[in-house]
Amino acid sequence: MDAHSADVAEATQTDAYYCEVPSDPCLIVMFGASGDLARRKLLPALYDLALHSCLAPRFRLLGFARTGMRDDDFRKSAGEFLPKAEEPGGASGKKEDFLQHLQYFKGDYDDPDAYQQLVKRLEELDRERQLGGNRLFYLAVPPEVYMRIVEHLGKAGLAKPVSDKAWTRVIIEKPFGHDGASARELNEKVLSVFDESQIYRIDHYLGKETVQNLLVFRFGNGIFEPLWNRNYIDHVQITAAESLGVENRAAFYESAGALRDMIQSHVLQLTSLVAMEAPATFEATSVRNEKIKVLQSIRPFATETIWKSVVRGQYGPGNVDGKPVPGYRQEPGVKRDSAAETFVALKLHVDNWRWSGVPFYLRTGKRLARPLTEIAIRFRQAPHRVFRGENLEENSLVLNIQPDEGISLSFGAKSPGAQMHIQSVTMDFQYKRAFGSGPRSAYSTLINDCIRGEATLFDRADSVEAAWALVDPILDAWKSASAPPFPNYPAGSDGPRAADDLASSDGRRWRAL
Ligand code: NDP
């Protein structure tokens, strides 16, 4: 029994993530294998899959990038990001076994010869390892490189499956486009080379266990869905807050900003999952059909409403976790007069039967008081005040996506004593406590889904374009006007005052971070 098989035997006994059936043998070609995402997230995610027997034991990964490296260098650099010996899954034999599956190919993304050599290398590996011709191309490169790689894959004949039994798929990272026009252009290019069924547009938020649990919570239980509508819900709040600053992504952030980076993708995805109708089945087409209906029902932002319904912000110097931190404009790589927004809050309406009149408040930002991603459903108050004199809080259902994954429901309870006093209490479900293990990395979930041909948690061409169609008018309006006086919130706060006004002008308030 080799190290991998021994580990699998161990995993079967104890492990929730153990795969009863390994995936098809396959060859993963990772473009941008020398980069941050590949090393920090993707290779550890693949190791996790190998460890839990989700990858076929004879899978191969070929890292493709311009940096000169030998196989050993690549394995060494990958090994630095795998769990340490004392961490779960870090026992060295298992890591070594995994690393032996990795190989490296130095090539330029624009060089047709590199793709001709790649064809030969893939054929060799396929033959040697009997991989059945199954191939996954992962584009972990900056967005401006996606189109060129896709075009070359097409020209080299690598986009078509090698036989009727084999599959070829491509994972494309986010951001998918810079605006609606560029997303359409990218879709056209990718669809001229691959069929939609081969394309997996990734938004790693959708791989989070708690995001998937939202669907189970709503549609796997009989008790919540009857309340999930305008008759019982006053409003919805979705927050994706980070306490980190721009870190080493200034170049990207300067041209992207929070609206593109977070709202267009993650936050609108969460909105779709909260607001969608029940799909007929938990299959890709059914789920995606329902999700896109939500995006199509969101009232478009008219120019005159943007100034009232959308707030942008940028952090100045402040304190996070008791430590002083610089403002955005003082971060390395950021222009001293940058107009990039590091915070967005907005109010939107889903104009359909279920949600008519229920506002959705969305906010995201960097350098906020604490990291928190949550969806809060605020219910209407009881229709008649039986307990006079008591100030009853509204009931809230909070789905915590990260960091303390779980769900809590707040309601009023009588506090002990002779008087009738009502106090808000919570019923809590916590992932770790209930299941004894934390959620798996989103990338493990999504890569596992892709190699099994399961596309439910990936974006379809039409939904990416629909999300851009909502965001484009805001970007246009911002472009045509000067930015508000930035910075307009101190690092470590809950965001700009104007965001509070957005909710308070409706008689509501944001949940504290
Ligand atoms: P990197 O900047 O680290 O780039 C990845 C690799 O691409 C580099 O190692 C480099 O490899 C090559 N590369 C970099 N710039 C260029 C260029 N201008 N032209 C051609 N090749 C270039 O990116 P990340 O790994 O951070 O991100 C990869 C993709 O994943 C991006 O689309 C990003 O938006 C997305 N993403 C990243 C996340 C993260 O946490 N890093 C999170 C979510 C999405 P070489 O020079 O060796 O060819």
Side-chain angles (χ1 to χ4, degrees), residues 31-42 64-69 104 107-110 138-146 148-149 172-176 202 204 248-249 252 261 266 443:
F31 290 96
S34 57
D36 177 69
L37 180 73
R39 286 159 13 109
R40 222 165 34 82
K41 298 276 167 118
L42 305 182
F64 183 122
R66 300 170 303 181
T67 303
M69 274 193 273
Y104 188 76
D108 194 312
Y109 310 107
D110 293 322
Y138 199 126
L139 309 194
V141 286
E144 62 271 22
V145 194
Y146 298 158
R148 281 131 61 185
I149 295 179
I172 304 180
E173 261 301 333
K174 80 171 270 275
F176 196 94
I202 200 163
H204 61 269
N248 55 359
R249 296 180 76 211
F252 164 75
D261 187 35
H266 306 322
Y443 280 104

Side-chain angles (χ1 to χ4, degrees), residues 315-445:
Y315 63 86
N319 282 290
V320 173
D321 289 335
K323 292 198 190 103
V325 294
Y328 179 68
R329 289 177 178 178
Q330 285 80 53
E331 303 272 16
V334 172
K335 286 203 275 310
R336 294 296 161 250
D337 60 348
S338 172
E341 79 285 356
T342 59
F343 177 98
V344 180
L346 58 83
K347 177 170 77 166
L348 57 78
H349 291 275
V350 181
D351 283 337
N352 64 17
W353 196 270
R354 184 190 282 259
W355 295 110
S356 179
V358 179
F360 283 63
Y361 299 91
L362 318 182
R363 67 179 161 168
T364 184
K366 287 194 177 289
R367 282 284 190 232
L368 294 175
R370 71 178 177 116
L372 175 75
T373 303
E374 66 169 30
I375 298 165
I377 312 289
R378 251 319 151 88
F379 290 94
R380 290 184 189 284
Q381 283 200 320
H384 171 63
R385 292 180 66 139
V386 175
F387 304 103
R388 288 177 198 279
E390 284 296 301
N391 201 6
L392 298 184
E393 281 191 25
E394 298 96 344
N395 303 116
S396 293
L397 177 78
V398 179
L399 299 115
N400 197 323
I401 311 291
Q402 61 185 24
D404 301 316
E405 295 87 353
I407 298 176
S408 73
L409 178 66
S410 72
F411 56 94
K414 181 186 174 304
S415 59
Q419 308 294 324
M420 175 55 80
H421 282 314
I422 299 180
Q423 197 180 319
S424 187
V425 294
T426 56
M427 278 198 301
D428 284 321
F429 151 74
Q430 280 185 352
Y431 240 85
K432 272 195 194 118
R433 209 167 50 204
F435 296 117
S437 65
R440 151 175 263 183
S441 106
Y443 280 104
S444 299
T445 303

Side-chain angles (χ1 to χ4, degrees), residues 37-101:
L37 180 73
R39 286 159 13 109
R40 222 165 34 82
K41 298 276 167 118
L42 305 182
L43 292 165
L46 281 158
Y47 174 57
D48 176 60
L49 292 179
L51 204 56
H52 296 98
S53 192
C54 300
L55 290 179
R58 24 178 229 277
F59 87 96
R60 269 286 180 274
L61 182 135
L62 187 64
F64 183 122
R66 300 170 303 181
T67 303
M69 274 193 273
R70 290 169 301 140
D71 287 349
D72 278 352
D73 302 322
F74 180 48
R75 288 175 186 150
K76 189 158 173 263
S77 111
E80 287 163 17
F81 289 84
L82 300 187
K84 309 271 173 288
E86 65 282 6
E87 292 168 348
S92 57
K94 295 164 191 173
K95 268 194 304 201
E96 265 318 303
D97 183 49
F98 170 77
L99 291 171
Q100 288 314 311
H101 290 72

